[in-house]
Amino acid sequence: MTNTVPKILIVGGGYAGFYTAWKLEKTLRKGEADVTIVDPLPYMTYQPFLPEVAAGSIEARHAVVALRRHLKRTTVVAAKVTGINHANKVATITPIAGEPYEQEYDQIVVTAGAVSRTFPIPGIADNAIGLKTIEEAVAIRDRLMSNFDKASMLPPGPARDRLLTVVVIGGGFAGIEAFAELRSLASSLVKSYPTITFDDTHYHLIEAMGRIMPEVSLKTSEWVLKDLAKRGAYVHLDTQVTGAVDGNVELSSGEVIPTDLIIWTAGVMANPTVVRGGDLPVEERGRILTRADLRVGSEDEIVEGAWAAGDVSAVPDLSGGGVGGYCVPNAQHAVRQAKLLARNLAGVLRGELPREYFHKNIGAVAGLGLYNGVFQSGNLALKGFIAWLAHRGYHGLAMPSWERKWRVLWGWWNNFWLRRDLVNLSTVQSPRYVFEEYAARPRPPQPVEAAPPAPKAAAKAPAPAADKVAASG
């Protein structure tokens, strides 16, 4: 390449991508490298807040971080990377508007994250919704509140029960937090609907394993189960979903649960568009093979000029606490990997050796609705209100930038005094419906009426014989 300034291309603007670019801006000297980040969305989503967004405890825009506002020295490109030809160090960029083009680079950082991993269960693709994006969290909240509005106008019966039933599939941290937060939201909503009681609402969580929340101890997970049961929630363990056609969730136990809201949280997979569209090495679970120093490659072989971090990568867990020897896909690892990756990348550009990633999990914390939570670190387990404070304290501090921290903290403070905002904005999905309903439109052209036929001229009657005689005389 003719440009002497190294070009760094970051694929994905999520946790790992944003933090890599943010740290590079603080680490690199001015003019030391040219950094570009590519993502179709102009913001990073702080995913631990998605359950609270779905429950109306956090404003949706406060749970995201604007890339252009906080990355002052990084070129932000609104596009997808649909191909990586690392052999020639060229990436195919497909923008949200315009034609695809190729971009050269010297160093590539793949941080494309993960997407919901589903199975070919009939009806799931057509009826379920995930909880990986801010848009999904907002849609879940609006759907739940819209269903309360509809149910309040119906008499007791199957149609009403369907609207007031929520099914969450997956008993990991994401599923349990979403399940508990939405149960908490429903408890708040019934106070505003005189025709709906707490017992009219039905919440079911489906988990294929014999326990929930494998990130915490068995004793702690059992406490969560008992706590959910007290709040009128049903957890189906050792149960699989076999169908969801037309919203009728069929279970391996033979039970059928009709519902209008199915939330899928049963696993994630590395972004397939990026992984399958490139020539970087991939391990058996579909993640980019990554070394402990966050360079792409195996222990014995390095792919020069390629780096990876976050959910899209298979990074060895040197602490020994990972699953299958690799770091689990969570925000805790993604953020720390990104910060080290930025330092390592800057160091390699300066001729230094990279350091290996080592992080021992400091624990797991989950919110279970307002004023309730659970925290586990080693043998230490906190439950209830104190754990809820730990949850909010940890994530409030972990939210990147003070600008975003203050927005979240201010929202929590307002909700403490004013209670959560229960406004339903589901119609924002079709913002022109009122305008279209009343907008004046041109009258359709009227058919041209045919002119009436002209009357035929009357035939001239023959003159009488006497007149003829007179005329001749």
Side-chain angles (χ1 to χ4, degrees), residues 51-66:
E52 289 198 61
V53 171
S57 297
I58 293 179
E59 165 63 33
R61 287 180 299 175
H62 297 171
V64 299
V65 180

Side-chain angles (χ1 to χ4, degrees), residues 100-131:
Y101 61 92
E102 291 189 341
Q103 180 165 327
E104 296 181 325
Y105 61 82
D106 295 295
Q107 303 280 338
I108 190 168
V109 178
V110 184
T111 53
V115 298
S116 295
R117 176 176 60 91
T118 60
F119 306 104
I121 300 171
I124 288 295
D126 299 321
N127 297 295
I129 185 171
L131 191 56

Side-chain angles (χ1 to χ4, degrees), residues 32 56 86 132 139 141 146 201 221 229 231 255 301 310 367 369 371 450 457:
E32 191 173 5
H86 191 67
K132 285 288 292 176
R141 177 177 181 269
S146 293
T201 61
S221 70
R231 295 154 64 185
E255 185 177 357
E301 186 177 355
Y371 314 124

Side-chain angles (χ1 to χ4, degrees), residues 111-296:
T111 53
V115 298
S116 295
R117 176 176 60 91
T118 60
F119 306 104
I121 300 171
I124 288 295
D126 299 321
N127 297 295
I129 185 171
L131 191 56
K132 285 288 292 176
T133 67
I134 198 70
E135 294 81 4
E136 289 173 327
V138 172
I140 289 170
R141 177 177 181 269
D142 287 342
R143 170 68 69 84
L144 178 65
M145 299 184 72
S146 293
N147 286 353
F148 266 74
D149 288 333
K150 295 174 184 176
S152 68
M153 305 305 297
L154 295 175
R160 189 171 184 263
D161 289 341
R162 175 186 287 267
L163 291 169
L164 296 176
T165 298
V166 174
V167 174
V168 176
I169 304 171
F173 250 58
I176 291 295
E177 285 194 287
F179 188 61
E181 290 285 356
L182 293 176
R183 175 74 270 186
S184 176
L185 173 59
S187 299
S188 297
L189 287 174
V190 294
K191 301 173 185 176
S192 303
Y193 292 85
T195 60
I196 299 175
T197 68
F198 179 85
D199 292 335
D200 291 331
T201 61
H202 311 288
Y203 277 66
H204 297 266
L205 184 134
I206 318 301
E207 170 54 48
M209 297 175 60
R211 59 164 296 181
I212 60 171
M213 303 176 76
E215 301 89 343
V216 302
S217 68
L218 180 60
K219 184 178 180 180
T220 301
S221 70
E222 289 174 347
W223 177 89
V224 174
L225 285 174
K226 292 177 182 177
D227 182 71
L228 291 172
K230 291 178 184 177
R231 295 154 64 185
Y234 302 91
V235 179
H236 306 255
L237 299 178
D238 293 314
T239 305
Q240 296 180 339
V241 175
T242 58
V245 176
D246 297 328
N248 295 308
V249 179
E250 302 173 15
L251 306 182
S252 56
S253 62
E255 185 177 357
V256 178
I257 306 173
T259 178
D260 194 57
L261 181 53
I262 306 170
I263 303 168
W264 181 275
T265 63
V268 297
M269 64 179 179
N271 189 319
T273 302
V274 173
V275 172
R276 298 171 187 169
D279 57 357
L280 297 176
V282 178
E283 50 92 57
E284 57 186 10
R285 295 190 61 185
R287 298 172 296 181
I288 293 177
L289 190 61
T290 310
R291 294 162 46 90
D293 59 13
L294 303 175
R295 288 183 288 185
V296 173

Side-chain angles (χ1 to χ4, degrees), residues 321-335:
V323 177
Y326 295 102
C327 296
V328 296
N330 63 22
Q332 193 176 137
H333 281 303
V335 170

